[in-house]
């Protein structure tokens, strides 16, 4: 389960609980990412209480242990002080085209399963209402009406209504007025992958001490490169310099010591004291004062730069030069590990699990993936909690 709350608990946001588009927008802003193919739940303890947003992949509900997974999800929410929840099943991102039969299955099978598990929770039912299914730009509400005696319940599905686009929600408009970054990222990331396929990377013996400076320069460069690539520009001196910085960062990240140093640099962001490099993971699991800065949370500037670097490495892995592709694979592995641990540190366990799955698909023999999977699946939680 992924659990996340806004990064500034001293000023909690008001979420419109009667509008699924507003709930989806609030989750997108809180997570710093677009929820996709997931069960999104907004836990609460009654009117006016601070919401707890959780997100769980739908694929886990479709597995043989799907009901058990849901029970664990609801148990964790109850342990966090929630007495009920609103729920959204999101097909795709809720707005993109989805097969009508898939939406019917979600409304007729998955949504009732969530409601049934919630109604059978012990020692008391866990109220989940309302339950919406979102997909193909539409929204349907689902009710499970209990049958008499042992008779199965009856599923009621409302007619489909239009889902308000993200840009027209009140939550998005307020975020714009506050100057928050609503970057979509998809076009930028496609541009970096295309550019990565043209890079020539060379093995580097980077020193860990250089990681902070390299990353600072790379953060400036990847945004300019994405914008230039989207605009079709490739000839300026600035573009060439930015490409050189990107190559330097990726080549350095192929060295294990550098990507661990980069993680430490991210942990140090906003902190008054540097983390012990030899005890980094131990400190994150034992020191509740170690809290992630907004820049290294999903949607933050540093996190987004790491995503763009990873996309450039992805493109470079498919480049024509085998030696360059090998360096890119090592860099991609390192960036993926850093993003996994940052997601874990932010209590985004489902997102971290997806990254580990990517790592295992690309590198089945990875020795790092089992460690990361153990931290996420056991789970071994970070010491801090969002509401503290």
């Amino acid at each position: 389960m992924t659990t996340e709350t806004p990064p500034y608990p001293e000023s909690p946001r008001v979420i419109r609980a009667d509008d699924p588009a507003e709930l989806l927008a609030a989750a997108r802003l809180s997570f710093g990412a677009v929820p996709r193919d997931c069960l999104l739940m907004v836990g609460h303890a009654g009117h006016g209480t601070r919401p707890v947003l959780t997100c769980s992949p739908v694929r886990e509900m479709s597995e043989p242990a799907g009901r058990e997974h849901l029970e664990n999800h609801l148990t964790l929410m109850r342990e966090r002080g929630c007495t009920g929840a609103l729920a959204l099943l999101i097909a795709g991102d809720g707005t993109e085209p989805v097969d009508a039969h898939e939406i019917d299955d979600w409304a007729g099978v998955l949504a009732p399963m969530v409601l049934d598990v919630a109604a059978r929770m012990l020692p008391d039912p866990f109220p989940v209402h309302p339950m919406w299914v979102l997909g193909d730009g539409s929204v349907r509400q689902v009710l499970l009406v209990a049958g008499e005696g042992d008779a199965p319940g009856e599923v009621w599905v409302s007619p489909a209504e239009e889902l308000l686009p993200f840009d027209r929600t009140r939550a998005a408009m307020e975020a714009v007025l506050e100057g928050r970054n609503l970057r979509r990222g998809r076009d930028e990331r496609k541009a970096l992958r295309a550019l990565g396929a043209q890079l020539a990377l060379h093995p580097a013996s980077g020193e860990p001490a250089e990681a902070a400076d390299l990353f600072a320069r790379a953060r400036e460069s990847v945004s300019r490169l994405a914008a230039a690539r989207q605009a079709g520009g490739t000839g300026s001196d600035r573009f060439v310099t930015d490409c050189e910085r990107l190559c330097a960062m990726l080549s350095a990240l192929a060295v294990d010591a550098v990507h661990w140093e980069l993680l430490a640099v991210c942990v140090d962001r906003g902190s008054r004291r540097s983390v012990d490099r030899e005890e980094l993971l131990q400190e994150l699991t034992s020191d509740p004062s170690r809290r992630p800065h907004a820049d290294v949370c999903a949607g933050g500037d540093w996190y987004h730069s790491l995503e763009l670097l990873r996309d450039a490495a992805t493109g470079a892995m498919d480049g024509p030069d085998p030696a360059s592709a090998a360096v890119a694979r090592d860099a991609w592995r390192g960036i993926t590990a850093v993003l996994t641990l940052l997601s874990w540190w932010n209590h985004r366990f489902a997102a971290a699990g997806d990254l580990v799955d990517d790592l295992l698909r690309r590198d089945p023999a990875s020795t790092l993936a089992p460690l990361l999977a153990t931290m996420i699946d056991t789970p071994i939680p970070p010491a801090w909690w969002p509401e503290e």
Side-chain angles (χ1 to χ4, degrees), residues 133-195:
V133 174
L134 283 57
D136 200 21
S138 65
V139 56
R140 299 161 175 80
Q141 186 172 349
V142 179
L143 296 174
L144 183 61
V145 181
E148 296 184 2
D150 295 330
E154 184 177 356
V155 179
W156 290 0
V157 181
S158 73
E161 296 182 3
E162 183 181 1
L163 181 68
L164 191 68
F166 172 75
D167 293 342
R168 290 169 54 194
T169 63
R170 179 176 177 177
M173 293 177 186
E174 289 178 348
V176 170
L177 291 174
E178 294 169 4
R180 301 179 68 188
N181 194 334
L182 303 185
R183 62 165 69 93
R184 298 184 183 276
R186 182 172 297 179
D187 291 339
E188 281 184 304
R189 298 179 67 178
K190 286 174 62 177
L192 261 296
R193 291 188 185 191
L195 175 62

Side-chain angles (χ1 to χ4, degrees), residues 247-272:
C247 287
M249 182 79 256
L250 294 178
S251 296
L253 280 167
V255 180
D256 287 351
V258 174
H259 71 247
W260 282 109
E261 174 62 20
L262 179 58
L263 175 63
V265 170
C266 291
V267 171
D268 284 343
R269 176 64 171 161
S271 178
R272 295 179 180 178

